[in-house]
Amino acid sequence: MKKHIFFSAILISYLLSLISTSAFAQEETIDAKANAILQSLDKKTKTYKTIKAEFTLTIYGKDGKPGDAQTGTIWINGAKYKLDLKNQTIFCDSSTTWTYLKDANEVQINNVDPNSDKGSLSPSTIFTVYEKGFKSHFEKEETTNNVTTEEVDLYPKHPEKEKYHTIKLFIDKAKNQVTEVKIMMKDGTTQLYMIDKFTPNSAMPLSDFTFDPKSYPGVDVEDLRQ
């Protein structure tokens, strides 16, 4: 019997989409201020060969009350990524995805959807979420504890296809880096991703992005590829 994989597709999509915007900006942006911020962010992000990000995810209910926070780490190298969460680790070499369920000692293998980068959120595009399929709007600039943050709101061009209606990017103006992402869901809940540590250009062997069953004695392999 197939087990369901419980993880946030939005999280994976978001964490892979914060890395590029030039093509999208002129065609899909709503205002010049948002365009300028995203173009600058894109220019800097494109200089990174790899990205490692440690984050904290908090989901707020319809009543605005936060649930338990969970931490995670993502490693990104182009279209390849590894996402480590409390109960699972996801490996992707750009063509195959392995989802390892820690409690069950089980790995589920799937092909990567070839259309996953066409305006949708995915872990490999988490730092370039704004690149395709969104309109953007500059919301505000705030300074707290001598740190100036710019907020840019993203709206999907085809909202009927998404479970969310708005993505809010919070960007450290001085560092030109995303520090926080807030995803507003249609069901009234909110997913908040705080980037706790951002490390670009660290060494990442290609073997980091594939699942090696020898490292998981007794693992149950469920190949769902067609």
Side-chain angles (χ1 to χ4, degrees):
M1 181 177 181
K2 297 180 180 179
K3 296 182 176 66
H4 294 288
I5 302 173
F6 296 100
F7 65 88
S8 171
I10 296 264
L11 158 64
I12 294 187
S13 304
Y14 152 73
L15 285 171
L16 286 172
S17 55
L18 299 171
I19 299 176
S20 152
T21 115
S22 53
F24 120 94
Q26 295 185 9
E27 177 183 356
E28 299 174 17
T29 199
I30 294 177
D31 61 49
K33 179 69 171 178
N35 182 43
I37 293 172
L38 295 180
Q39 288 280 17
S40 177
L41 178 64
D42 178 57
K43 183 178 180 180
K44 182 172 184 179
T45 308
K46 282 182 175 178
T47 66
Y48 304 147
K49 294 182 179 179
T50 64
I51 289 177
K52 176 184 177 182
E54 298 174 25
F55 61 90
T56 300
L57 164 64
T58 304
I59 298 178
Y60 291 78
K62 296 179 182 179
D63 57 3
K65 295 181 180 179
D68 294 336
Q70 68 166 306
T71 58
T73 304
I74 189 166
W75 296 260
I76 303 172
N77 185 343
K80 302 176 180 64
Y81 66 87
K82 176 182 176 182
L83 176 65
D84 187 45
L85 301 170
K86 180 180 179 181
N87 296 319
Q88 62 191 302
T89 303
I90 302 171
F91 305 81
C92 180
D93 66 356
S94 78
S95 60
T96 303
T97 300
W98 296 264
T99 301
Y100 176 64
L101 307 177
K102 298 178 181 180
D103 292 343
N105 194 26
E106 175 187 308
V107 64
Q108 298 184 359
I109 309 174
N110 288 276
N111 291 318
V112 172
D113 182 354
N115 297 315
S116 62
D117 64 342
K118 297 182 178 180
S120 298
L121 292 175
S122 83
S124 62
T125 55
I126 186 64
F127 292 101
T128 51
V129 62
Y130 46 79
E131 184 176 11
K132 296 179 181 178
F134 292 94
K135 296 179 180 180
S136 63
H137 171 70
F138 173 73
E139 182 64 25
K140 60 185 176 181
E141 178 176 304
E142 291 185 336
T143 300
T144 304
N145 296 326
N146 296 319
V147 176
T148 300
T149 301
E150 298 170 311
E151 179 187 337
V152 175
D153 293 350
L154 304 177
Y155 307 99
K157 292 185 68 178
H158 302 286
E160 70 280 359
K161 297 180 180 181
E162 309 295 347
K163 294 182 179 180
Y164 58 90
H165 59 79
T166 306
I167 297 177
K168 293 178 175 290
L169 296 181
F170 297 86
I171 302 162
D172 185 314
K173 187 174 183 179
K175 294 182 178 180
N176 203 11
Q177 289 182 352
V178 174
T179 59
E180 181 180 333
V181 178
K182 185 178 293 185
I183 302 174
M184 318 295 288
M185 308 300 291
K186 290 181 178 177
D187 64 3
T189 62
T190 299
Q191 298 183 11
L192 175 63
Y193 299 91
M194 300 292 297
I195 308 302
D196 302 316
K197 187 176 181 180
F198 186 90
T199 308
N201 300 323
S202 59
M204 296 182 187
L206 294 181
S207 57
D208 287 353
F209 305 104
T210 58
F211 181 84
D212 182 3
K214 295 179 181 178
S215 300
Y216 302 85
V219 63
D220 180 18
V221 178
E222 187 169 2
D223 195 334
L224 304 178
R225 292 174 291 186
Q226 296 182 350

